[in-house]
Amino acid sequence: MKLFRYGPRGHEKPALMDAQGRARDLSAVISDITADTLTPAGLQALRALDTSALPEVAPTALGRIGTPWRHTGKFICIGLNYRDHAAETGSPVPQEPILFNKWCAATGPNDPIVLPQGSQKTDWEVELGIVVGSKARYVEPAEALQHVAGYCVVNDVSEREYQMERGGTWDKGKGCDTFGPVGPWLVTPDEVPDVHNLSLWLDVNGKRYQTGSTRTMIFGVAELIAYVSRFVTLQPGDLISTGTPPGVGLGRKPPVFLKPGDTLHLGIDGLGEQRQRVHAWDASLLD
């Protein structure tokens, strides 16, 4: 299944894409897509539906696409998880996964990216997201995939000065408002034949900067879930963003960073695409 939500911020409706690629409204079945929807029981109930009987939503009626599920839980990220990305940043290949958090609530896949006040070094990172569907605590890699509700596209927007030049943890450069576009869909594992063979790409102003594949991840999906579950209990609705391939702005010579008016277009095979426009600081775009 491909689950998504559409409509104005705070008033999204639940929906899915049927086998023919048509949007079907789920409002008569569930009030919203929440953590409960992502549990094995919740997903099984949706799989049992006759999707042809659900109201079709015309593409012109979809409007804004929100996050695929309401109230993303913990937003946990993995740093330097592609060897070639570590190399372009001049960093050693990590011996264990690097963990950091995004404090911000996730935003819709096409919502604005708003630069923090005074930001000069905001960067992009297309990433595969793992959506947790059941409680995971000290799980073994062999059992880890049983806890996956689905996968999604994430743009791990990053302010490099805040992340690397201001002391402390990476989190301060990763958790700014609007720095977590997610979606458009949550794609269940049955529609992702090989999560370790997905192409990722990202364009800025029509120019291709990132091209990669999940084949080159250092730590795979099952290993990451197992590892994270040793430090914090994962719950339905939590999101793990698994790192980015090479091609970030920081790695260019000279570096390239985002500025107001820039546009981003990014995607992952089978998981959909995102489009964002970069804005100068404007609090009205945050609410």
Side-chain angles (χ1 to χ4, degrees):
M1 287 184 296
K2 293 181 174 70
L3 301 177
F4 71 102
R5 298 163 68 244
Y6 70 101
R9 194 176 315 202
H11 301 279
E12 294 91 346
K13 295 180 180 181
L16 59 76
M17 301 296 291
D18 67 17
Q20 290 72 42
R22 295 174 296 203
R24 300 282 185 170
D25 189 279
L26 286 169
S27 299
V29 180
I30 55 175
S31 60
D32 205 346
I33 298 171
T34 66
D36 288 340
T37 315
L38 307 182
T39 63
L43 292 177
Q44 184 55 41
L46 294 182
R47 288 192 183 96
L49 295 173
D50 177 4
T51 56
S52 66
L54 298 171
E56 184 175 352
V57 186
T60 54
L62 288 174
R64 174 183 173 272
I65 304 298
T67 57
W69 68 103
R70 179 167 59 91
H71 297 329
T72 301
K74 296 183 285 293
F75 198 152
I76 300 168
C77 299
I78 311 299
L80 299 175
N81 196 31
Y82 287 70
R83 292 181 183 276
D84 33 14
H85 172 56
E88 74 173 343
T89 62
S91 303
V93 173
Q95 298 303 301
E96 294 189 29
I98 296 171
L99 306 184
F100 60 90
N101 294 287
K102 280 190 175 288
W103 299 319
C104 63
T107 59
N110 307 319
D111 286 347
I113 292 173
V114 181
L115 299 177
Q117 292 183 10
S119 169
Q120 298 294 321
K121 297 183 179 181
T122 294
D123 204 346
W124 56 82
E125 295 190 5
V126 59
E127 304 198 0
L128 168 72
I130 307 166
V131 187
V132 178
S134 60
K135 181 186 290 186
R137 178 187 294 143
Y138 290 101
V139 301
E140 295 300 322
E143 303 168 349
L145 296 185
Q146 300 173 18
H147 298 275
V148 177
Y151 302 100
C152 62
V153 182
V154 175
N155 187 357
D156 175 20
V157 185
S158 308
E159 216 297 346
R160 301 301 190 186
E161 179 190 354
Y162 300 177
Q163 176 190 355
M164 305 172 75
E165 302 176 28
R166 302 283 291 272
T169 69
W170 286 10
D171 299 42
K172 67 175 69 173
K174 298 284 192 170
C176 303
D177 293 329
T178 75
F179 274 23
V182 175
W185 309 313
L186 180 157
V187 182
T188 52
D190 56 293
E191 294 201 16
V192 185
D194 185 356
V195 72
H196 294 114
N197 189 25
L198 300 176
S199 295
L200 308 85
W201 54 269
L202 181 145
D203 298 345
V204 181
N205 300 329
K207 178 179 177 179
R208 180 62 47 92
Y209 278 87
Q210 287 193 274
T211 302
S213 171
T214 56
R215 293 192 306 271
T216 65
M217 290 169 60
I218 299 168
F219 306 104
V221 169
E223 189 174 3
L224 289 174
I225 295 168
Y227 185 85
V228 174
S229 77
R230 280 155 173 69
F231 299 95
V232 62
T233 299
L234 296 168
Q235 300 284 357
D238 288 350
L239 174 61
I240 302 173
S241 198
T242 59
T244 198
V248 299
L250 178 66
R252 306 288 291 187
K253 298 187 185 304
V256 177
F257 297 116
L258 295 172
K259 60 185 183 304
D262 285 348
T263 59
L264 292 90
H265 184 199
L266 58 144
I268 301 177
D269 283 352
L271 303 186
E273 300 180 8
Q274 300 183 355
R275 295 179 184 270
Q276 295 116 23
R277 186 174 181 85
V278 180
H279 295 257
W281 171 257
D282 183 346
S284 69
L285 296 174
L286 305 181
D287 302 314

